[in-house]
Amino acid sequence: MHDLRRQALESGKTVSRKARSKNGSPASSTPNSAPPSRAASRSRAVSRAGSEEDENGNLSDETSFSTNSIDELLHGDASDPITDAWRADLADRIQELIDRKRSSVQGREKCLAIYVRTLTSQYAEEDIRGKEAELVVAFLKSIKAETSERETILAMKALAMTVVTSPSDLIYEAVASPLKRVISDSTSIPSKAAAIHCLGTCTFFGGASDDEILDNMAYLLEIVASDGAFIEAQDEPTPVVAALEEWGSLSTLIEDLAGESEEAAEYFVDQLSSSDAAVQIAAGENIALLYEKSYRPLAEDDGLAEYNEDDIISDPDDIPGVPKLIKNYNVYRRTDVLKDTLSDLATLNTRRQSKKEQKSLRTNFADILDSVEYPTHGPRYQNAISQDTGKRYGSRMTVRIHKEGVMRIDKWWKLHRLQGLRRVLQSGFVAHYEKNPVVFESLPIMIMNDRKAARE
């Protein structure tokens, strides 16, 4: 990737602040914080055999950046038959994308779709190694030209899959300005939303500095605060949802959000009154994450007398060995009012929204309210007592990995990371989680046996 800066920095962007702030966030020492992985590892795992793809198959994975609902995250992915036929086809498509000579819009769309589908279902780092710079240049040509909406979105999905498969510290600098131009200037709402998601992925995995991450979080917050007007998408829910989701994903890379929480919480609370259920849920999940990150375990040398009694919470089950938590900072000035709003959404009954939307809102906001009241509680927390252990079940959200393995999602930062990965990888999440070290390091969770998880 040594020549990526020369080939892809066509926007004239000057040297980024990454040069002045190259060190990533230190690993968090608190259980409520995510390990701030930004694809630091460059270890190369040998890709096992994959599946041969039908060129005329379903292309939903290629153009989608959506996970649609939490429930979709809880099911494992099907395994395809093992064959190496895809490697030769991928090599042909890569060469076709790089050459671009006498290519048509339809031809590029088909080629991009196959490239995305292959990188989604297979860990193809070895197959694209050394070609990343030329590929990024080719994707940027399609993104900048916006010849067709489909080609533009496919190129952004191809760019996102490339950076997840083979990260580089130079990708973010090369692509940030072109992606922001699409977000601001495109007349296509789906292209704006896809560009927001692609920007989030490239910020996360493409070598952005902490300052650049915070700048992009502020940029995304402007979109949310203006209901999309900041990017000429007034009252369009799709870009607002995308901005909320990517803000949440990027915030897991920042250990201390004390300086960002209050303003962000104000805008997220405003979005709870949105008429769009996806906007409300994405805003609510960010609120839960902010409350989770605002507490830290009480250290042994912390004197209880130094803190207000209201700032110290303990697990309501009083489980031995679970430390009390101390509030580092206030997330929102009127938590009492927020709780009332969340309670209303958790018991919503209205004709304005479908039964499916109401069920989703009630389920999600019951979780969010619980976490605002008890930041030790993660998604899908259950108070029921296990007959096997005599303890409360706690967070019951699990993701199935093949037939017998499950991944427990018991913190909001884990859910945000999972959702961010699934938006990009779609049905290829399990394949990449098993083989792609970059994906695993982003969500390093122990895979448990299904029976053991059920007992717990």
Side-chain angles (χ1 to χ4, degrees):
M1 298 292 288
H2 64 280
D3 57 345
L4 179 59
R5 186 191 308 270
R6 174 178 60 81
Q7 293 192 35
L9 262 180
E10 299 175 8
S11 65
K13 182 179 177 183
T14 57
V15 176
S16 136
R17 279 176 296 174
K18 175 167 73 275
R20 301 195 306 270
S21 177
K22 192 59 183 171
N23 292 329
S25 300
S28 171
S29 59
T30 70
N32 286 342
S33 300
S37 166
R38 281 203 295 270
S41 169
R42 295 294 182 268
S43 61
R44 305 302 187 186
V46 177
S47 176
R48 295 200 293 270
S51 66
E52 182 176 6
E53 296 289 346
D54 178 359
E55 292 185 7
N56 298 316
N58 191 325
L59 301 186
S60 60
D61 275 8
E62 286 83 335
T63 57
S64 177
F65 274 100
S66 172
T67 58
N68 294 323
S69 72
I70 288 180
D71 291 336
E72 291 188 4
L73 301 176
L74 308 184
H75 302 289
D77 302 338
S79 297
D80 292 327
I82 296 178
T83 172
D84 266 344
W86 61 270
R87 292 187 182 277
D89 190 36
L90 177 61
D92 291 341
R93 302 304 174 180
I94 289 173
Q95 195 59 47
E96 187 178 340
L97 286 168
I98 292 172
D99 287 346
R100 286 181 67 97
K101 294 178 181 178
R102 294 181 296 277
S103 63
S104 65
V105 174
Q106 292 76 16
R108 291 193 298 272
E109 289 175 356
K110 181 179 179 180
C111 192
L112 285 164
I114 295 171
Y115 177 88
V116 171
R117 189 187 315 142
T118 304
L119 260 67
T120 299
S121 61
Q122 313 296 335
Y123 176 50
E125 186 277 329
E126 289 184 341
D127 302 87
I128 68 172
R129 188 187 303 170
K131 307 178 185 73
E132 300 96 330
E134 293 175 286
L135 285 167
V136 169
V137 171
F139 301 149
L140 287 179
K141 287 179 180 178
S142 293
I143 292 169
K144 292 175 180 179
E146 282 200 83
T147 307
S148 76
E149 181 181 275
R150 180 170 172 77
E151 181 185 352
T152 305
I153 294 175
L154 282 167
M156 289 187 282
K157 191 65 188 288
L159 175 57
M161 282 305 310
T162 300
V163 74
V164 171
T165 300
S166 182
S168 164
D169 287 345
L170 298 178
I171 285 182
Y172 172 77
E173 186 173 348
V175 305
S177 292
L179 289 174
K180 286 185 177 180
R181 279 200 294 273
V182 174
I183 295 170
S184 299
D185 301 339
S186 177
T187 58
S188 163
I189 296 301
S191 293
K192 287 178 181 287
I196 291 170
H197 284 305
C198 187
L199 177 66
T201 302
C202 292
T203 304
F204 198 107
F205 294 102
S209 68
D210 286 351
D211 283 345
E212 286 167 327
I213 292 170
L214 289 169
D215 282 349
N216 280 339
M217 289 171 62
Y219 175 76
L220 296 170
L221 203 59
E222 287 275 9
I223 298 173
V224 173
S226 67
D227 292 324
F230 181 64
I231 57 169
E232 303 298 325
Q234 180 69 41
D235 296 327
E236 291 284 353
T238 309
V240 175
V241 171
L244 285 164
E245 290 175 339
E246 296 305 330
W247 191 98
S249 180
L250 292 179
S251 73
T252 66
L253 295 172
I254 306 298
E255 183 174 358
D256 187 356
L257 286 174
E260 289 75 30
S261 286
E262 188 169 348
E263 181 184 21
E266 290 280 354
Y267 295 135
F268 299 155
V269 171
D270 286 345
Q271 292 299 336
L272 296 179
S273 60
S274 170
S275 60
D276 186 87
V279 171
Q280 292 174 294
I281 291 170
E285 289 176 349
N286 284 351
I287 290 170
L289 177 66
L290 287 175
Y291 274 86
E292 180 178 87
K293 290 176 72 68
S294 69
Y295 283 80
R296 65 170 176 83
L298 192 66
E300 293 182 1
D301 56 353
D302 284 330
L304 294 179
E306 300 176 16
Y307 302 99
N308 294 326
E309 185 176 343
D310 292 341
D311 291 341
I312 301 174
I313 64 171
S314 58
D315 191 284
D317 299 331
D318 232 5
I319 299 174
V322 175
K324 289 182 170 61
L325 297 180
I326 181 70
K327 182 164 66 175
N328 278 339
Y329 51 85
N330 289 318
V331 173
Y332 187 62
R333 289 173 294 175
R334 295 298 308 275
T335 297
D336 55 336
V337 176
L338 173 60
K339 289 180 181 178
D340 289 340
T341 302
L342 297 175
S343 179
D344 290 342
L345 289 167
T347 56
L348 184 68
N349 187 4
T350 176
R351 294 181 179 180
R352 288 171 43 200
Q353 290 166 313
S354 68
K355 290 183 179 179
K356 182 179 180 181
E357 287 179 329
Q358 290 186 61
K359 180 180 178 181
S360 180
L361 286 167
R362 287 195 292 265
T363 300
N364 283 283
F365 279 101
D367 289 350
I368 293 162
L369 173 61
D370 189 38
S371 294
V372 169
E373 293 178 332
Y374 302 106
T376 56
H377 292 182
R380 298 293 190 270
Y381 190 92
Q382 288 188 6
N383 288 306
I385 304 295
S386 168
Q387 294 181 351
D388 293 326
T389 66
K391 301 177 182 178
R392 298 189 190 276
Y393 281 109
S395 292
R396 298 297 303 276
M397 178 178 285
T398 57
V399 179
R400 184 171 298 282
I401 306 294
H402 296 312
K403 292 183 179 180
E404 295 188 355
V406 294
M407 176 194 302
R408 187 179 294 281
I409 306 297
D410 56 359
K411 295 292 182 183
W412 286 99
W413 73 261
K414 295 180 183 179
L415 178 60
H416 279 271
R417 291 272 179 99
L418 173 65
Q419 289 175 325
L421 290 168
R422 283 298 300 264
R423 281 192 294 270
V424 180
L425 299 172
Q426 297 288 313
S427 62
F429 169 74
V430 170
H432 277 265
Y433 194 80
E434 290 182 323
K435 304 170 188 176
N436 187 340
V438 172
V439 172
F440 179 80
E441 288 165 11
S442 300
L443 195 62
I445 299 175
M446 180 72 69
I447 305 298
M448 295 185 295
N449 180 276
D450 196 10
R451 295 175 183 174
K452 178 181 178 182
R455 289 197 303 270
E456 294 183 356

